[in-house]
Short mmCIF file of all heavy atoms in Angstrom, two decimals:
data_model
loop_
_atom_site.label_atom_id
_atom_site.label_comp_id
_atom_site.label_asym_id
_atom_site.label_seq_id
_atom_site.Cartn_x
_atom_site.Cartn_y
_atom_site.Cartn_z
N ASN N 135 99.78 63.43 99.46
CA ASN N 135 99.60 62.03 99.81
C ASN N 135 100.88 61.54 100.47
O ASN N 135 101.89 61.31 99.79
CB ASN N 135 99.29 61.24 98.54
CG ASN N 135 98.83 59.79 98.86
OD1 ASN N 135 99.24 59.22 99.83
ND2 ASN N 135 97.97 59.24 97.93
N HIS N 136 100.84 61.39 101.78
CA HIS N 136 102.02 61.01 102.54
C HIS N 136 102.14 59.52 102.79
O HIS N 136 103.10 59.01 103.39
CB HIS N 136 102.02 61.70 103.89
CG HIS N 136 102.27 63.20 103.83
ND1 HIS N 136 103.34 63.80 104.37
CD2 HIS N 136 101.58 64.15 103.17
CE1 HIS N 136 103.31 65.08 104.14
NE2 HIS N 136 102.22 65.36 103.40
N PHE N 137 101.10 58.72 102.38
CA PHE N 137 101.09 57.32 102.71
C PHE N 137 100.99 56.43 101.50
O PHE N 137 100.76 55.19 101.61
CB PHE N 137 99.93 57.01 103.67
CG PHE N 137 100.10 57.71 104.99
CD1 PHE N 137 99.51 58.95 105.22
CD2 PHE N 137 100.88 57.14 106.03
CE1 PHE N 137 99.69 59.59 106.46
CE2 PHE N 137 101.01 57.78 107.21
CZ PHE N 137 100.46 59.03 107.47
N GLY N 138 101.11 57.00 100.29
CA GLY N 138 101.09 56.19 99.08
C GLY N 138 99.76 55.46 98.86
O GLY N 138 99.76 54.40 98.24
N ILE N 139 98.70 56.04 99.31
CA ILE N 139 97.37 55.40 99.19
C ILE N 139 96.83 55.58 97.78
O ILE N 139 96.72 56.74 97.28
CB ILE N 139 96.36 55.92 100.22
CG1 ILE N 139 96.92 55.72 101.64
CG2 ILE N 139 95.02 55.22 100.11
CD1 ILE N 139 96.03 56.30 102.74
N LYS N 140 96.49 54.51 97.10
CA LYS N 140 95.97 54.56 95.74
C LYS N 140 94.46 54.84 95.78
O LYS N 140 93.81 54.70 96.86
CB LYS N 140 96.23 53.26 95.01
CG LYS N 140 97.71 53.03 94.71
CD LYS N 140 97.95 51.79 93.93
CE LYS N 140 99.45 51.63 93.67
NZ LYS N 140 99.73 50.35 92.90
N CYS N 141 93.93 55.26 94.66
CA CYS N 141 92.51 55.69 94.61
C CYS N 141 91.57 54.59 95.04
O CYS N 141 90.76 54.75 95.94
CB CYS N 141 92.16 56.15 93.21
SG CYS N 141 93.07 57.64 92.66
N GLY N 142 91.62 53.43 94.39
CA GLY N 142 90.70 52.35 94.79
C GLY N 142 89.29 52.63 94.30
O GLY N 142 88.94 53.76 93.89
N LYS N 143 88.42 51.64 94.43
CA LYS N 143 87.04 51.75 93.97
C LYS N 143 86.21 52.68 94.84
O LYS N 143 85.22 53.26 94.35
CB LYS N 143 86.42 50.36 93.91
CG LYS N 143 87.03 49.43 92.89
CD LYS N 143 86.34 48.07 92.89
CE LYS N 143 86.95 47.17 91.88
NZ LYS N 143 86.30 45.79 91.83
N ASP N 144 86.53 52.84 96.06
CA ASP N 144 85.73 53.62 96.97
C ASP N 144 86.18 55.07 97.13
O ASP N 144 85.65 55.83 97.96
CB ASP N 144 85.62 52.97 98.38
CG ASP N 144 87.02 52.76 98.95
OD1 ASP N 144 88.03 52.92 98.24
OD2 ASP N 144 87.08 52.47 100.21
N TRP N 145 87.16 55.48 96.28
CA TRP N 145 87.64 56.86 96.37
C TRP N 145 86.86 57.80 95.46
O TRP N 145 86.67 57.51 94.31
CB TRP N 145 89.16 56.95 96.04
CG TRP N 145 89.73 58.29 95.98
CD1 TRP N 145 90.20 58.96 94.88
CD2 TRP N 145 89.92 59.19 97.09
NE1 TRP N 145 90.73 60.17 95.25
CE2 TRP N 145 90.51 60.35 96.60
CE3 TRP N 145 89.60 59.11 98.43
CZ2 TRP N 145 90.80 61.44 97.40
CZ3 TRP N 145 89.91 60.20 99.23
CH2 TRP N 145 90.52 61.32 98.75
N ASN N 146 86.36 58.91 96.02
CA ASN N 146 85.59 59.88 95.26
C ASN N 146 86.30 61.20 95.15
O ASN N 146 85.67 62.22 94.92
CB ASN N 146 84.25 60.07 95.91
CG ASN N 146 83.36 58.83 95.81
OD1 ASN N 146 83.33 58.18 94.77
ND2 ASN N 146 82.69 58.50 96.91
N GLY N 147 87.62 61.19 95.30
CA GLY N 147 88.40 62.40 95.27
C GLY N 147 89.21 62.57 93.99
O GLY N 147 89.11 61.77 93.07
N GLU N 148 90.08 63.56 93.96
CA GLU N 148 90.95 63.82 92.83
C GLU N 148 92.01 62.69 92.72
O GLU N 148 92.32 62.10 93.71
CB GLU N 148 91.66 65.14 93.02
CG GLU N 148 92.51 65.60 91.91
CD GLU N 148 91.68 66.21 90.72
OE1 GLU N 148 90.61 66.78 91.01
OE2 GLU N 148 92.14 66.03 89.57
N GLY N 149 92.53 62.46 91.51
CA GLY N 149 93.54 61.47 91.34
C GLY N 149 94.83 62.06 90.77
O GLY N 149 94.87 62.93 89.95
N TYR N 150 95.93 61.52 91.28
CA TYR N 150 97.28 61.91 90.76
C TYR N 150 97.89 60.64 90.18
O TYR N 150 97.98 59.63 90.84
CB TYR N 150 98.11 62.44 91.94
CG TYR N 150 99.53 62.78 91.52
CD1 TYR N 150 99.87 64.02 91.00
CD2 TYR N 150 100.60 61.85 91.68
CE1 TYR N 150 101.12 64.34 90.61
CE2 TYR N 150 101.89 62.16 91.33
CZ TYR N 150 102.18 63.43 90.76
OH TYR N 150 103.44 63.75 90.40
N TYR N 151 98.34 60.74 88.91
CA TYR N 151 98.76 59.56 88.21
C TYR N 151 100.28 59.51 88.10
O TYR N 151 100.93 60.45 87.63
CB TYR N 151 98.11 59.48 86.80
CG TYR N 151 96.66 59.27 86.82
CD1 TYR N 151 95.75 60.33 87.09
CD2 TYR N 151 96.09 58.02 86.68
CE1 TYR N 151 94.38 60.11 87.17
CE2 TYR N 151 94.73 57.79 86.75
CZ TYR N 151 93.87 58.84 86.98
OH TYR N 151 92.52 58.66 87.09
N LYS N 152 100.85 58.36 88.43
CA LYS N 152 102.29 58.14 88.28
C LYS N 152 102.52 56.62 88.21
O LYS N 152 101.72 55.82 88.72
CB LYS N 152 103.10 58.75 89.46
CG LYS N 152 102.83 58.12 90.79
CD LYS N 152 103.57 58.82 91.90
CE LYS N 152 105.04 58.69 91.81
NZ LYS N 152 105.50 57.34 92.20
N GLU N 153 103.63 56.23 87.61
CA GLU N 153 103.93 54.82 87.54
C GLU N 153 104.39 54.26 88.85
O GLU N 153 105.09 54.89 89.59
CB GLU N 153 105.06 54.60 86.48
CG GLU N 153 104.63 54.88 85.08
CD GLU N 153 105.73 54.56 84.06
OE1 GLU N 153 106.89 54.33 84.50
OE2 GLU N 153 105.44 54.57 82.87
N ASP N 154 103.84 53.05 89.15
CA ASP N 154 104.16 52.46 90.41
C ASP N 154 104.38 50.91 90.17
O ASP N 154 105.45 50.51 89.76
CB ASP N 154 103.07 52.70 91.44
CG ASP N 154 103.42 52.16 92.80
OD1 ASP N 154 104.49 52.48 93.33
OD2 ASP N 154 102.61 51.37 93.39
N ASP N 155 103.32 50.13 90.40
CA ASP N 155 103.46 48.70 90.18
C ASP N 155 102.23 48.09 89.48
O ASP N 155 102.06 46.87 89.54
CB ASP N 155 103.72 48.00 91.54
CG ASP N 155 102.61 48.31 92.57
OD1 ASP N 155 101.65 48.94 92.23
OD2 ASP N 155 102.83 47.90 93.74
N ASP N 156 101.39 48.89 88.90
CA ASP N 156 100.19 48.41 88.22
C ASP N 156 100.51 48.05 86.77
O ASP N 156 101.24 48.79 86.09
CB ASP N 156 99.07 49.43 88.26
CG ASP N 156 98.49 49.57 89.65
OD1 ASP N 156 98.52 48.58 90.39
OD2 ASP N 156 98.03 50.69 90.01
N LEU N 157 99.96 46.95 86.31
CA LEU N 157 100.18 46.45 84.93
C LEU N 157 98.87 46.33 84.20
O LEU N 157 97.83 46.11 84.83
CB LEU N 157 100.86 45.10 84.98
CG LEU N 157 102.20 44.98 85.76
CD1 LEU N 157 102.70 43.57 85.78
CD2 LEU N 157 103.29 45.90 85.15
N ASN N 158 98.89 46.49 82.88
CA ASN N 158 97.70 46.28 82.13
C ASN N 158 97.55 44.83 81.73
O ASN N 158 98.37 43.99 82.15
CB ASN N 158 97.68 47.19 80.88
CG ASN N 158 98.86 46.89 79.96
OD1 ASN N 158 99.53 45.85 80.03
ND2 ASN N 158 99.12 47.82 79.05
N ASP N 159 96.58 44.49 80.86
CA ASP N 159 96.33 43.09 80.51
C ASP N 159 97.53 42.48 79.77
O ASP N 159 97.70 41.25 79.73
CB ASP N 159 95.08 43.01 79.60
CG ASP N 159 93.85 43.41 80.36
OD1 ASP N 159 93.88 43.33 81.58
OD2 ASP N 159 92.84 43.84 79.71
N LYS N 160 98.35 43.31 79.15
CA LYS N 160 99.54 42.85 78.41
C LYS N 160 100.79 42.75 79.25
O LYS N 160 101.82 42.42 78.77
CB LYS N 160 99.78 43.75 77.21
CG LYS N 160 98.61 43.86 76.23
CD LYS N 160 98.98 44.81 75.10
CE LYS N 160 97.84 44.90 74.12
NZ LYS N 160 98.15 45.88 73.00
#
Side-chain angles (χ1 to χ4, degrees):
N135 190 330
H136 290 241
F137 297 92
I139 303 177
K140 293 184 179 179
C141 294
K143 295 181 180 180
D144 57 347
W145 175 245
N146 293 318
E148 185 78 33
Y150 177 85
Y151 292 83
K152 65 185 292 288
E153 290 183 352
D154 185 53
D155 55 8
D156 288 331
L157 306 174
N158 61 16
D159 296 336
K160 298 179 181 179

